[in-house]
Amino acid sequence: MKLKTKTQKNNYLNSPVENISGAEAVVRCLIAEGIDIIYGYPGGAIMPVYDEFYKYHKEIYHVLTRHEQGATHAAQGYARISGKVGVAIATSGPGATNLITGIADAQIDSTPMVCITGQVPSHLLGSDAFQETDIVGISTPVTKWNHQITRSEEIPEVMAKAFYIARSGRPGPVLIDITKDAQFESFDFTYKKCDGVRSYNPVPDIQYDQLQLAAELINSAKKPLIVWGQGVILGNAEIEFKNLVEKTGIPAAWTIMGVSAIDTAHPLNVGMVGMHGNYAPNILTNECDVLIAIGMRFDDRVTGKLAEYATQAKIIHFEIDPAEINKNVKADVPVLGDSKQSLNKILPLLNKNKHSLWLNKFKNLAKVEFDKVIKDDLYPTKVGLTMGEVIKEINNQSKGNAAIVSDVGQHQMIACRYAEFTKSRGNITSGGLGTMGFALPAAIGAKMASPEREVVAVIGDGGYQMTIQELGTIFQTKAAVKIVVLNNDFLGMVRQWQQLFFDKRYASTEMTNPDFVTIAKGYHIEAKRITKREDLADAVKEMMTSDEAYFLEVCVEKEANVFPMIPSGASVSEIRLE
């Protein structure tokens, strides 16, 4: 089955007025917005729209996921790798509420997504009718915008506004709830894309005086450090960012959402900051004299103890969302605006520079981390397989060109630490919400958005079972996703905390797992399980060279821990190597 459809010649933009149903209008609006793949699950309150999908199946490919949460994560994966708006659709009641986890995930990770839900007829609203739920009220805290449609003629304007809000400025999820009678009603349809909303300013104007102040600080700095986040990727500012880093010679570290904006092998890329980030950038955060934050929000996993975070440094914060300025860390020079525009405008103001002595400190501390941690992760001498050597073997096979979709837990930290990327939008993970079960459906969406790119889902045995039913979606769509389950028979990250901070009281973290290979084969997915190091390279090669979906279970050490680690509530300077 094909994964993408051809763009329809008539996209219904500025087309002649036609009298059609609200349900057909929804589908035509999607086509007008360039949507060719959507993810969802049908039900009574959204059935009129699904009837139109049947008619328009050549224009829009609907992917039947096995759970509505899977639909949102698939839409997220689609959006994250493509930069386009992902779309998920569900019925009322439990169908709608099952979307909430994915919506919340998209909100905190700034993923553009439009969710469409059916609703009971308008005359039944508030009557506790069958499968009625106030999804607008429920979703308000976790959406960028939401709206309930009760009249068919509202549909074009609201849908256009939904896509504009979802993709503009700092992206995010939007939910549109449509009553069943509005789907049946006919009206005179025409469609016009939205290009602005009163009182909504998605991209603040750049203040040139702030750029000058930032440039002066950067030019005079002796020990500057850049920390960049996903804002560089969302702003399509990878080229501008690389130009800035190379012109200034400043060491640059990334948040978990920012990795892949520049090549992981770049000589000025000094690694990941945060709880399980690299030793050097964490330690030297509290030694730099100027900290340049670009498209990141100073999440608690990055800063550790706020009272002791970079207190010696002047803070420059490049950010598109005014709400993030001074929210966690006070900025000495806030630079509001789109990252691509801001970096392009500041570049001529910056002096060409090198910070060789300062960069050497990063290299020296990186060697300490290699000797204490990385060597054992990637080149182990112990009998049991490590998660790190699995990621290293994937790197060997992919040459850094694959997109790695990781779930949440120890394997996520290992994947983000060790995966190599040569292309942007290569790291897809649940950052802010930490949603177990994210990776499998997100990988489906990513593969459908970029069928030419290898997509590898790296998942723990716990998170895998939260959305394992999406193997059915892979089987039905033939999406060639590569699935790697790193199985340690534990909820590994929780177990690590229990070991370190709860005297090894492993309460409810040991897993009794099923035969994952047999389950995969039940969905007609080629599968293999390995337990020995000597089998790893051939197994990964077989998986990566397969033209179809492939499942690989790797049994790794049960009680291995992820280091470095900043204990909860500790300073970044208190990062532990063991």
Side-chain angles (χ1 to χ4, degrees), residues 249-252 267-270 284 355-364:
I250 298 174
L268 291 170
N269 185 337
V270 294
L284 296 178
H355 294 277
S356 301
L357 292 177
W358 174 233
L359 186 60
N360 281 338
K361 294 197 73 170
F362 287 87
K363 293 177 180 178
N364 292 336

PDB file of all heavy atoms in Angstrom, residues 249-252 267-270 284 355-364:
ATOM      1  N   GLY A 249      33.583  30.623  16.662  1.00  0.00           N
ATOM      2  CA  GLY A 249      34.419  29.605  17.284  1.00  0.00           C
ATOM      3  C   GLY A 249      33.966  29.206  18.675  1.00  0.00           C
ATOM      4  O   GLY A 249      34.759  28.692  19.477  1.00  0.00           O
ATOM      5  N   ILE A 250      32.687  29.410  18.960  1.00  0.00           N
ATOM      6  CA  ILE A 250      32.183  29.142  20.313  1.00  0.00           C
ATOM      7  C   ILE A 250      31.760  27.682  20.443  1.00  0.00           C
ATOM      8  O   ILE A 250      31.015  27.168  19.599  1.00  0.00           O
ATOM      9  CB  ILE A 250      30.989  30.068  20.637  1.00  0.00           C
ATOM     10  CG1 ILE A 250      31.427  31.528  20.599  1.00  0.00           C
ATOM     11  CG2 ILE A 250      30.382  29.729  22.000  1.00  0.00           C
ATOM     12  CD1 ILE A 250      30.284  32.515  20.772  1.00  0.00           C
ATOM     13  N   PRO A 251      32.182  26.988  21.505  1.00  0.00           N
ATOM     14  CA  PRO A 251      31.682  25.634  21.763  1.00  0.00           C
ATOM     15  C   PRO A 251      30.161  25.658  21.906  1.00  0.00           C
ATOM     16  O   PRO A 251      29.600  26.560  22.537  1.00  0.00           O
ATOM     17  CB  PRO A 251      32.356  25.247  23.084  1.00  0.00           C
ATOM     18  CG  PRO A 251      33.516  26.179  23.222  1.00  0.00           C
ATOM     19  CD  PRO A 251      33.129  27.447  22.537  1.00  0.00           C
ATOM     20  N   ALA A 252      29.507  24.671  21.307  1.00  0.00           N
ATOM     21  CA  ALA A 252      28.044  24.640  21.287  1.00  0.00           C
ATOM     22  C   ALA A 252      27.542  23.299  21.800  1.00  0.00           C
ATOM     23  O   ALA A 252      28.001  22.239  21.348  1.00  0.00           O
ATOM     24  CB  ALA A 252      27.523  24.903  19.880  1.00  0.00           C
ATOM     25  N   PRO A 267      33.416  19.805  14.948  1.00  0.00           N
ATOM     26  CA  PRO A 267      34.421  20.021  16.005  1.00  0.00           C
ATOM     27  C   PRO A 267      33.995  20.979  17.110  1.00  0.00           C
ATOM     28  O   PRO A 267      34.570  20.954  18.206  1.00  0.00           O
ATOM     29  CB  PRO A 267      35.629  20.574  15.231  1.00  0.00           C
ATOM     30  CG  PRO A 267      35.093  21.046  13.920  1.00  0.00           C
ATOM     31  CD  PRO A 267      33.936  20.163  13.608  1.00  0.00           C
ATOM     32  N   LEU A 268      33.004  21.833  16.863  1.00  0.00           N
ATOM     33  CA  LEU A 268      32.521  22.746  17.899  1.00  0.00           C
ATOM     34  C   LEU A 268      31.268  22.239  18.597  1.00  0.00           C
ATOM     35  O   LEU A 268      30.733  22.899  19.475  1.00  0.00           O
ATOM     36  CB  LEU A 268      32.273  24.127  17.301  1.00  0.00           C
ATOM     37  CG  LEU A 268      33.543  24.890  16.881  1.00  0.00           C
ATOM     38  CD1 LEU A 268      33.192  26.131  16.088  1.00  0.00           C
ATOM     39  CD2 LEU A 268      34.388  25.242  18.100  1.00  0.00           C
ATOM     40  N   ASN A 269      30.808  21.062  18.198  1.00  0.00           N
ATOM     41  CA  ASN A 269      29.684  20.423  18.883  1.00  0.00           C
ATOM     42  C   ASN A 269      30.248  19.675  20.088  1.00  0.00           C
ATOM     43  O   ASN A 269      30.939  18.667  19.945  1.00  0.00           O
ATOM     44  CB  ASN A 269      28.973  19.467  17.928  1.00  0.00           C
ATOM     45  CG  ASN A 269      27.727  18.849  18.531  1.00  0.00           C
ATOM     46  OD1 ASN A 269      27.570  18.773  19.748  1.00  0.00           O
ATOM     47  ND2 ASN A 269      26.821  18.393  17.675  1.00  0.00           N
ATOM     48  N   VAL A 270      29.952  20.166  21.289  1.00  0.00           N
ATOM     49  CA  VAL A 270      30.579  19.612  22.498  1.00  0.00           C
ATOM     50  C   VAL A 270      29.636  18.709  23.286  1.00  0.00           C
ATOM     51  O   VAL A 270      29.962  18.298  24.403  1.00  0.00           O
ATOM     52  CB  VAL A 270      31.140  20.730  23.406  1.00  0.00           C
ATOM     53  CG1 VAL A 270      32.288  21.440  22.704  1.00  0.00           C
ATOM     54  CG2 VAL A 270      30.048  21.722  23.810  1.00  0.00           C
ATOM     55  N   LEU A 284      31.094  22.948  32.568  1.00  0.00           N
ATOM     56  CA  LEU A 284      31.566  24.260  32.131  1.00  0.00           C
ATOM     57  C   LEU A 284      30.446  25.274  31.957  1.00  0.00           C
ATOM     58  O   LEU A 284      30.715  26.461  31.757  1.00  0.00           O
ATOM     59  CB  LEU A 284      32.371  24.101  30.844  1.00  0.00           C
ATOM     60  CG  LEU A 284      33.665  23.280  31.023  1.00  0.00           C
ATOM     61  CD1 LEU A 284      34.395  23.119  29.704  1.00  0.00           C
ATOM     62  CD2 LEU A 284      34.571  23.902  32.072  1.00  0.00           C
ATOM     63  N   HIS A 355      38.344  30.197  20.149  1.00  0.00           N
ATOM     64  CA  HIS A 355      38.479  30.092  21.593  1.00  0.00           C
ATOM     65  C   HIS A 355      39.198  28.782  21.910  1.00  0.00           C
ATOM     66  O   HIS A 355      38.665  27.903  22.585  1.00  0.00           O
ATOM     67  CB  HIS A 355      37.099  30.152  22.260  1.00  0.00           C
ATOM     68  CG  HIS A 355      36.409  31.468  22.100  1.00  0.00           C
ATOM     69  ND1 HIS A 355      36.660  32.547  22.913  1.00  0.00           N
ATOM     70  CD2 HIS A 355      35.492  31.903  21.188  1.00  0.00           C
ATOM     71  CE1 HIS A 355      35.922  33.580  22.531  1.00  0.00           C
ATOM     72  NE2 HIS A 355      35.205  33.214  21.488  1.00  0.00           N
ATOM     73  N   SER A 356      40.410  28.678  21.421  1.00  0.00           N
ATOM     74  CA  SER A 356      41.132  27.405  21.452  1.00  0.00           C
ATOM     75  C   SER A 356      41.382  26.910  22.860  1.00  0.00           C
ATOM     76  O   SER A 356      41.175  25.717  23.155  1.00  0.00           O
ATOM     77  CB  SER A 356      42.467  27.550  20.703  1.00  0.00           C
ATOM     78  OG  SER A 356      42.238  27.943  19.370  1.00  0.00           O
ATOM     79  N   LEU A 357      41.862  27.782  23.745  1.00  0.00           N
ATOM     80  CA  LEU A 357      42.146  27.350  25.122  1.00  0.00           C
ATOM     81  C   LEU A 357      40.876  26.902  25.832  1.00  0.00           C
ATOM     82  O   LEU A 357      40.855  25.888  26.543  1.00  0.00           O
ATOM     83  CB  LEU A 357      42.823  28.484  25.895  1.00  0.00           C
ATOM     84  CG  LEU A 357      44.229  28.855  25.445  1.00  0.00           C
ATOM     85  CD1 LEU A 357      44.762  30.039  26.248  1.00  0.00           C
ATOM     86  CD2 LEU A 357      45.180  27.658  25.589  1.00  0.00           C
ATOM     87  N   TRP A 358      39.804  27.653  25.619  1.00  0.00           N
ATOM     88  CA  TRP A 358      38.506  27.329  26.223  1.00  0.00           C
ATOM     89  C   TRP A 358      37.976  26.015  25.647  1.00  0.00           C
ATOM     90  O   TRP A 358      37.509  25.145  26.388  1.00  0.00           O
ATOM     91  CB  TRP A 358      37.558  28.487  25.970  1.00  0.00           C
ATOM     92  CG  TRP A 358      36.112  28.343  26.369  1.00  0.00           C
ATOM     93  CD1 TRP A 358      35.043  28.546  25.575  1.00  0.00           C
ATOM     94  CD2 TRP A 358      35.584  28.017  27.657  1.00  0.00           C
ATOM     95  NE1 TRP A 358      33.868  28.370  26.260  1.00  0.00           N
ATOM     96  CE2 TRP A 358      34.172  28.049  27.555  1.00  0.00           C
ATOM     97  CE3 TRP A 358      36.152  27.714  28.888  1.00  0.00           C
ATOM     98  CZ2 TRP A 358      33.322  27.770  28.635  1.00  0.00           C
ATOM     99  CZ3 TRP A 358      35.313  27.434  29.973  1.00  0.00           C
ATOM    100  CH2 TRP A 358      33.923  27.461  29.836  1.00  0.00           C
ATOM    101  N   LEU A 359      38.104  25.833  24.345  1.00  0.00           N
ATOM    102  CA  LEU A 359      37.654  24.594  23.714  1.00  0.00           C
ATOM    103  C   LEU A 359      38.462  23.400  24.214  1.00  0.00           C
ATOM    104  O   LEU A 359      37.918  22.290  24.358  1.00  0.00           O
ATOM    105  CB  LEU A 359      37.767  24.717  22.203  1.00  0.00           C
ATOM    106  CG  LEU A 359      37.195  23.563  21.367  1.00  0.00           C
ATOM    107  CD1 LEU A 359      35.704  23.375  21.625  1.00  0.00           C
ATOM    108  CD2 LEU A 359      37.430  23.803  19.872  1.00  0.00           C
ATOM    109  N   ASN A 360      39.730  23.620  24.513  1.00  0.00           N
ATOM    110  CA  ASN A 360      40.554  22.524  25.042  1.00  0.00           C
ATOM    111  C   ASN A 360      40.046  22.016  26.382  1.00  0.00           C
ATOM    112  O   ASN A 360      40.216  20.833  26.714  1.00  0.00           O
ATOM    113  CB  ASN A 360      42.014  22.972  25.167  1.00  0.00           C
ATOM    114  CG  ASN A 360      42.730  22.949  23.832  1.00  0.00           C
ATOM    115  OD1 ASN A 360      42.317  22.248  22.910  1.00  0.00           O
ATOM    116  ND2 ASN A 360      43.802  23.737  23.709  1.00  0.00           N
ATOM    117  N   LYS A 361      39.443  22.891  27.176  1.00  0.00           N
ATOM    118  CA  LYS A 361      38.872  22.438  28.447  1.00  0.00           C
ATOM    119  C   LYS A 361      37.747  21.438  28.203  1.00  0.00           C
ATOM    120  O   LYS A 361      37.603  20.448  28.931  1.00  0.00           O
ATOM    121  CB  LYS A 361      38.354  23.631  29.268  1.00  0.00           C
ATOM    122  CG  LYS A 361      39.427  24.585  29.748  1.00  0.00           C
ATOM    123  CD  LYS A 361      38.930  25.491  30.865  1.00  0.00           C
ATOM    124  CE  LYS A 361      38.787  24.720  32.179  1.00  0.00           C
ATOM    125  NZ  LYS A 361      38.524  25.624  33.324  1.00  0.00           N
ATOM    126  N   PHE A 362      36.953  21.677  27.162  1.00  0.00           N
ATOM    127  CA  PHE A 362      35.895  20.733  26.808  1.00  0.00           C
ATOM    128  C   PHE A 362      36.501  19.402  26.370  1.00  0.00           C
ATOM    129  O   PHE A 362      36.025  18.330  26.761  1.00  0.00           O
ATOM    130  CB  PHE A 362      35.021  21.308  25.687  1.00  0.00           C
ATOM    131  CG  PHE A 362      34.104  22.406  26.125  1.00  0.00           C
ATOM    132  CD1 PHE A 362      34.540  23.721  26.152  1.00  0.00           C
ATOM    133  CD2 PHE A 362      32.809  22.129  26.519  1.00  0.00           C
ATOM    134  CE1 PHE A 362      33.695  24.739  26.558  1.00  0.00           C
ATOM    135  CE2 PHE A 362      31.949  23.135  26.920  1.00  0.00           C
ATOM    136  CZ  PHE A 362      32.397  24.449  26.943  1.00  0.00           C
ATOM    137  N   LYS A 363      37.563  19.475  25.582  1.00  0.00           N
ATOM    138  CA  LYS A 363      38.194  18.251  25.097  1.00  0.00           C
ATOM    139  C   LYS A 363      38.797  17.453  26.241  1.00  0.00           C
ATOM    140  O   LYS A 363      38.706  16.212  26.273  1.00  0.00           O
ATOM    141  CB  LYS A 363      39.269  18.594  24.057  1.00  0.00           C
ATOM    142  CG  LYS A 363      38.706  19.187  22.772  1.00  0.00           C
ATOM    143  CD  LYS A 363      39.819  19.586  21.806  1.00  0.00           C
ATOM    144  CE  LYS A 363      39.247  20.186  20.525  1.00  0.00           C
ATOM    145  NZ  LYS A 363      40.324  20.633  19.599  1.00  0.00           N
ATOM    146  N   ASN A 364      39.406  18.137  27.197  1.00  0.00           N
ATOM    147  CA  ASN A 364      40.015  17.442  28.337  1.00  0.00           C
ATOM    148  C   ASN A 364      38.968  16.760  29.206  1.00  0.00           C
ATOM    149  O   ASN A 364      39.149  15.607  29.632  1.00  0.00           O
ATOM    150  CB  ASN A 364      40.838  18.425  29.179  1.00  0.00           C
ATOM    151  CG  ASN A 364      42.072  18.934  28.447  1.00  0.00           C
ATOM    152  OD1 ASN A 364      42.569  18.274  27.531  1.00  0.00           O
ATOM    153  ND2 ASN A 364      42.556  20.104  28.822  1.00  0.00           N
TER     154      ASN A 364
END
